[in-house]
Amino acid sequence: MVEWIRKNKAWTIAIVLIFVLATWLRADFLTSVKHTVSHDTKYYDEMVHRLLDKGIYAYKEEVSNARVTPGYPLFMTAMYVVADQIGVEPFPLIRWVQVLISLATLILIYMIAMQATRNKWIAIISLFISAIYHPFIWANGAVLTETLALFFLMGYLSMQLHAFRTQRKRDAALAGVLLGITVLVRAEFLPLFVPLYGVFLLQQWFRPRSEQKVATASKLAIFKKVALLGIITGLCLSATMLPWWIRNVVTLNEFVMTASQSNPFKAGTYPNKDYTDKIVVQNGMSQNEYAWARIKAGFTQQTWKYVKWYTVGKLKYTYTHMFFGSGHSPIYHAYPHVAYLHILIVYSTIIPLLALIWRWRHPAAMLAVVIIIMSMIRLVFVPEYRYNFTVMPLFIILSTWLGVYILQKIGAYFSRRKTA
């Protein structure tokens, strides 16, 4: 490490300056605005006090439940204990700890960019954009799952890409553990490793012979090796979540895989979030039953309206706006026209996404898989701006890749003009 720094002094200075800028922006944000406390945060606060005072793990209720996964509530509980020991308020402490988590996430984004593209310019530009991207600054003021979930998701993706490269069992196992922790913070990432291993299997089956370590390896042998790695990841994911599953069986007398809250699924059945829509009368149905009844009635009675909502409608709602955290005043802008950067990142990523569908053997195709799979999962639930937050580092990396590619082509064109 020391030797690398000596040989890359300018690069090291640039990275250090980016982290200094990122730290200053986050610290300036926390100290210069008044932070809004959201309804979810208030419920989390009640939950933590209930857990500390009564030993009951329950969200929005006084009896034990599994309405939310335990990752963030337990993180908050630990922060409350620390805050009590050192004599400070818990929310400011959580926000400052989230700043440290946010800075650590920048390291992981840099690593993922290098692993996926093998281009240091893409990595450092992605690092810079992530350092100044406003949702990554604003989220630190929100006592919500986003900052912690993003950190563990980036940790999982980095380790999963590393495991694909090394094909070592221990790396696959660690990827499973990190994914398990991620799921315990945000449940929707649970199925993510399955399509990633599926694409990795296809990459191994159809990679050029010049890149194969054993040219004569059969597809069956490759399948067995990849399947073993996938099984190891799945088992370690399960082992990480096992205490949560056991708790639910013992305490609630039922198996809850992630969380039992179903309202986001029902809320997602209202096109354009028009909650006055009464296409179906509830009549005592459960939330799940009512949601399915609405979907059935919607796609049969208002087919085109529901098709648009469950495709471009939800995608547009989710991705065309930035996540503002819990809200704050006055609105913190490190530079003017901040929304333009977000829109540029989102729409410019469409080109590399399409290119990676064509060039699916490239390591960066894994980033496209994550974006596509998570977008498909989002279509099931109510769309919210906050749902784009955890995949935005991947958008930034792919958008930067496109920008660097264009600049390289322009540079090559002028270089040829000079030599002609």
Side-chain angles (χ1 to χ4, degrees):
M1 184 67 175
V2 175
E3 186 63 27
W4 185 91
I5 293 174
R6 287 175 181 170
K7 292 181 179 179
N8 299 271
K9 289 182 180 179
W11 206 255
T12 303
I13 292 171
I15 292 174
V16 169
L17 290 176
I18 290 172
F19 272 94
V20 169
L21 174 63
T23 304
W24 183 83
L25 288 173
R26 285 151 178 77
D28 185 52
F29 165 66
L30 287 192
T31 56
S32 64
V33 304
K34 181 179 180 181
H35 301 280
T36 304
V37 178
S38 70
H39 290 295
D40 285 347
T41 300
K42 292 176 182 177
Y43 289 130
Y44 279 134
D45 178 63
E46 293 173 1
M47 183 181 190
V48 171
H49 282 294
R50 192 178 297 119
L51 181 60
L52 290 172
D53 298 339
K54 302 178 182 179
I56 299 174
Y57 182 92
Y59 183 74
K60 292 186 178 181
E61 295 178 343
E62 290 297 327
V63 294
S64 295
N65 61 40
R67 296 183 68 174
V68 295
T69 49
Y72 198 72
L74 293 182
F75 165 75
M76 284 184 65
T77 302
M79 292 297 99
Y80 275 50
V81 172
V82 172
D84 183 63
Q85 292 295 318
I86 63 178
V88 299
E89 290 296 318
F91 281 7
L93 176 63
I94 289 171
R95 293 185 180 111
W96 283 108
V97 170
Q98 287 184 162
V99 166
L100 297 178
I101 294 171
S102 175
L103 294 173
T105 303
L106 294 180
I107 299 173
L108 295 172
I109 293 172
Y110 180 89
M111 291 171 60
I112 291 171
M114 283 295 293
Q115 290 169 303
T117 68
R118 304 182 183 123
N119 187 307
K120 66 179 184 179
W121 285 106
I122 296 174
I124 199 166
I125 296 172
S126 297
L127 176 65
F128 174 73
I129 294 174
S130 299
I132 66 169
Y133 179 59
H134 275 77
F136 293 168
I137 300 170
W138 294 333
N140 296 293
V143 184
L144 295 170
T145 60
E146 271 67 31
T147 300
L148 191 63
L150 181 61
F151 171 71
F152 283 116
L153 177 63
M154 293 299 103
Y156 160 67
L157 290 177
S158 180
M159 181 51 64
Q160 189 66 81
L161 291 173
H162 182 65
F164 287 155
R165 184 178 63 82
T166 64
Q167 298 188 35
R168 289 192 302 228
K169 296 175 184 177
R170 67 185 183 191
D171 295 333
L174 187 52
V177 171
L178 289 170
L179 179 57
I181 298 172
T182 305
V183 172
L184 289 173
V185 179
R186 288 287 289 270
E188 66 264 30
F189 299 110
L190 177 63
L192 194 54
F193 79 103
V194 177
L196 287 176
Y197 271 100
V199 172
F200 179 63
L201 175 62
L202 294 176
Q203 288 177 338
Q204 294 300 297
W205 270 350
F206 298 104
R207 64 179 175 171
R209 287 187 176 274
S210 59
E211 297 181 10
Q212 295 182 14
K213 296 179 181 178
V214 182
T216 57
S218 66
K219 286 188 176 181
L220 179 59
I222 294 172
F223 172 80
K224 287 180 178 179
K225 185 170 185 178
V226 173
L228 177 60
L229 294 174
I231 290 170
I232 290 171
T233 298
L235 288 175
C236 290
L237 161 66
S238 300
T240 305
M241 298 191 65
L242 187 60
W244 174 240
W245 294 340
I246 293 173
R247 176 265 177 190
N248 293 335
V249 171
V250 172
T251 304
L252 308 178
N253 296 315
E254 63 175 317
F255 176 75
V256 179
M257 180 168 287
T258 53
S260 57
Q261 189 166 220
S262 59
N263 187 57
F265 174 51
K266 185 193 78 171
T269 65
Y270 292 86
N272 304 311
K273 301 182 77 170
D274 177 14
Y275 298 114
T276 63
D277 178 4
K278 304 295 182 184
I279 192 171
V280 175
V281 179
Q282 190 159 359
N283 285 336
M285 288 184 284
S286 68
Q287 288 193 23
N288 270 332
E289 291 171 340
Y290 184 52
W292 283 113
R294 284 188 53 80
I295 290 173
K296 182 178 179 181
F299 277 99
T300 53
Q301 299 174 29
Q302 302 176 11
T303 305
W304 182 234
K305 181 178 181 180
Y306 269 73
V307 167
K308 286 194 298 182
W309 176 238
Y310 273 86
T311 51
V312 294
K314 287 191 178 184
L315 289 177
K316 183 179 179 181
Y317 195 99
T318 300
Y319 287 112
T320 56
H321 293 80
M322 295 181 293
F323 173 55
F324 279 80
S326 287
H328 55 275
S329 61
I331 296 297
Y332 183 86
H333 288 163
Y335 45 87
H337 307 299
V338 298
Y340 291 168
L341 176 62
H342 174 80
I343 295 299
L344 176 63
I345 291 168
V346 169
Y347 282 104
S348 64
T349 300
I350 295 174
I351 296 174
L353 273 177
L354 294 174
L356 286 169
I357 293 174
W358 177 258
R359 293 186 59 194
W360 54 271
R361 294 183 182 88
H362 196 283
M366 295 301 179
L367 307 189
V369 171
V370 174
I371 291 174
I372 292 169
I373 294 300
M374 292 313 303
S375 297
M376 292 175 65
I377 291 174
R378 302 299 185 205
L379 293 179
V380 178
F381 303 102
V382 61
E384 297 289 352
Y385 307 149
R386 64 187 292 191
Y387 292 161
N388 71 45
F389 180 83
T390 46
V391 292
M392 283 311 298
L394 310 186
F395 275 83
I396 289 171
I397 292 170
L398 295 185
S399 175
T400 301
W401 192 10
L402 175 65
V404 170
Y405 176 81
I406 292 172
L407 290 175
Q408 287 175 337
K409 290 297 181 182
I410 293 173
Y413 170 78
F414 282 108
S415 179
R416 288 195 298 270
R417 287 285 300 271
K418 286 183 179 180
T419 57

